[in-house]
Amino acid sequence: MNKLLLLLPSLASADLIQDSYKEQFYQLSKANFEIITAFLVIFIIASLTYLFSLTKKSKHKTIIQTGDIISAVHSKIIKKDVDLLRILDSYLSILHQKAAKRDNKVYFNFSHYYPRYVKAIHDKVCILFYTLSEFVIEHTENSHIIIGLRTKKSSNEKSVRYEFYIKSDCPIPQLEKGDIKNTLEKNSKMIEIIHKGKKELKNCVFFEFYKLKTAKLVADILGTKINFSSWQKHNFLSFELEFELSNKPYEVKNRYSHFFGLNTIILEDDICGFYQIASKLKQFKLNIQPKMDLKLAKEHLFNPIFSPKFIFINTRVLRNFTAKEINQIKQKQAKYGFLIILISDSAAFDHYNGSFENYVLLKHPINIDTLLAAMNTTPPLDFSNKMIQ
């Protein structure tokens, strides 16, 4: 018992020492926790600041590169003899892909009778026309967009003046209340960039308007002006350029006289798409039957009295054909030898997985040369899945 009493002070001291260690450990843990928390906060802030700086630098780099492109365009003013239609055609497939992202349909107009061989600063013309086209495509949705050229009165007989135009049946809100200059001023801000080691302040348009800005700069270089007008829900953008005619003689090649009077059927449920094909075929003097009427067109297709040479079918419309109708078309094609030309007005309907053996696939916007080449295709027995784009 006495021994136990002697041990109690020792045990009490041990408890005090243990409590002291616990308190020290708690304080140390608390301090460590605060240090770790502070470190994490500093790390997160530093990381976000670094990422923001990268994003900012990336945007500045884009702006600087855009400026460099414009400088390069401005420094090389070289005219060349070009086929105007051919250089414009090289970019149509890209517009076809871009239009599908916002459910737009894009068409291209250029008469087969217009002068084509000109002396032009062709790369600048293409930059202007297509950056402006892309701007319209990216700022409209579920719209019909017609891009094209038409002749205007020129200053002399050795030149041709063209109006390049872009029409859409969907409004562009940013352009409704002002012209191109006002739009760019409204959608711009002063930013600081580092260019060649020096900080500079520049008035830069918002990123989504850089194509409109690029188009305006190139228009200034070419000495023209982008015109804008709107009425109801329609927009019309255009610019004019006059070209010296090339020394290369221009002739309308007689590649379609054998089409005169031939029967043609257009199976299309979109009135704009129908008239885009019909207006081109009228240049070749074909007999288009019937007019815009899908039901009546099918009746003509299966009527043995009506013997078409060409059948144009929208790939979207074709998906609604029954297996029986497809077989009837195949049987008639085998008997009469007409050419089936499938037309895609959206990248979503580019791929046809049906059972036609002999057909040609075209994609809007369609160059009239491409259309003519397709129509001059005579499908042989081993002709299979030929695509002209």
Side-chain angles (χ1 to χ4, degrees), residues 89-342:
D89 177 63
S90 61
Y91 200 75
L92 295 181
S93 60
I94 299 176
L95 293 183
H96 176 79
Q97 297 293 330
K98 287 180 175 289
K101 295 179 180 179
R102 297 179 64 87
D103 295 324
N104 290 312
K105 297 179 177 65
V106 184
Y107 308 99
F108 179 67
N109 285 343
F110 186 99
S111 173
H112 196 61
Y113 296 96
Y114 287 165
R116 299 165 50 152
Y117 302 106
V118 299
K119 296 180 182 296
I121 311 168
H122 66 284
D123 51 347
K124 289 79 175 174
V125 174
C126 288
I127 290 173
L128 174 53
F129 193 38
Y130 288 116
T131 50
L132 200 58
S133 299
E134 286 180 332
F135 173 79
V136 175
I137 289 172
E138 293 171 0
H139 286 77
T140 57
E141 190 170 4
N142 194 25
S143 174
H144 295 90
I145 300 170
I146 300 174
I147 63 176
L149 288 76
R150 56 190 173 198
T151 55
K152 307 284 284 188
K153 186 177 180 181
S154 61
S155 59
N156 60 72
E157 60 181 14
K158 294 184 179 181
S159 65
V160 58
R161 188 170 190 83
Y162 276 112
E163 178 185 48
F164 295 72
Y165 63 86
I166 304 167
K167 297 189 292 184
S168 69
D169 57 7
C170 178
I172 303 177
Q174 295 88 342
L175 295 179
E176 285 185 343
K177 296 181 180 180
D179 59 17
I180 303 299
K181 181 179 179 181
N182 290 339
T183 299
L184 292 173
E185 290 177 352
K186 181 181 177 181
N187 295 280
S188 65
K189 60 180 179 179
M190 295 299 296
I191 68 169
E192 183 181 274
I193 66 172
I194 298 177
H195 182 48
K196 295 182 178 179
K198 296 181 180 179
K199 290 185 178 181
E200 300 177 3
L201 279 176
K202 285 194 175 182
N203 185 20
C204 296
V205 298
F206 292 160
F207 188 74
E208 61 267 29
F209 289 90
Y210 82 93
K211 287 181 181 174
L212 184 62
K213 176 69 173 180
T214 300
K216 184 181 182 303
L217 289 173
V218 178
D220 292 342
I221 292 170
L222 292 174
T224 187
K225 178 184 177 182
I226 299 173
N227 300 304
F228 166 72
S229 62
S230 64
W231 66 99
Q232 296 179 348
K233 293 183 178 181
H234 296 79
N235 290 298
F236 186 86
L237 292 98
S238 67
F239 61 90
E240 295 185 10
L241 290 171
E242 186 159 332
F243 303 101
E244 179 185 351
L245 291 172
S246 172
N247 294 327
K248 184 175 181 178
Y250 175 73
E251 296 179 0
V252 179
K253 295 183 179 180
N254 193 16
R255 294 182 291 168
Y256 52 86
S257 60
H258 50 292
F259 295 156
F260 291 0
L262 295 179
N263 291 332
T264 303
I265 296 175
I266 302 175
L267 293 162
E268 172 66 82
D269 62 354
D270 185 296
I271 189 167
C272 187
F274 176 88
Y275 283 110
Q276 277 296 312
I277 295 297
S279 63
K280 289 177 173 63
L281 295 179
K282 284 181 180 178
Q283 297 183 43
F284 308 143
K285 304 186 185 306
L286 279 87
N287 177 32
I288 303 170
Q289 293 292 336
K291 301 306 179 186
M292 177 60 187
D293 189 326
L294 189 58
K295 182 179 179 180
L296 188 58
K298 282 187 177 183
E299 292 178 1
H300 276 73
L301 180 60
F302 302 128
N303 188 334
I305 299 176
F306 191 79
S307 179
K309 175 63 178 177
F310 302 103
I311 296 178
F312 292 84
I313 311 176
N314 186 300
T315 53
R316 175 173 32 80
V317 173
L318 184 60
R319 294 190 179 191
N320 297 323
F321 277 43
T322 65
K324 181 180 179 180
E325 289 174 328
I326 295 293
N327 287 329
Q328 286 179 313
I329 295 175
K330 289 176 63 178
Q331 291 171 6
K332 286 204 67 176
Q333 186 185 37
K335 183 175 182 180
Y336 297 106
F338 53 73
L339 178 62
I340 295 175
I341 300 178
L342 303 182

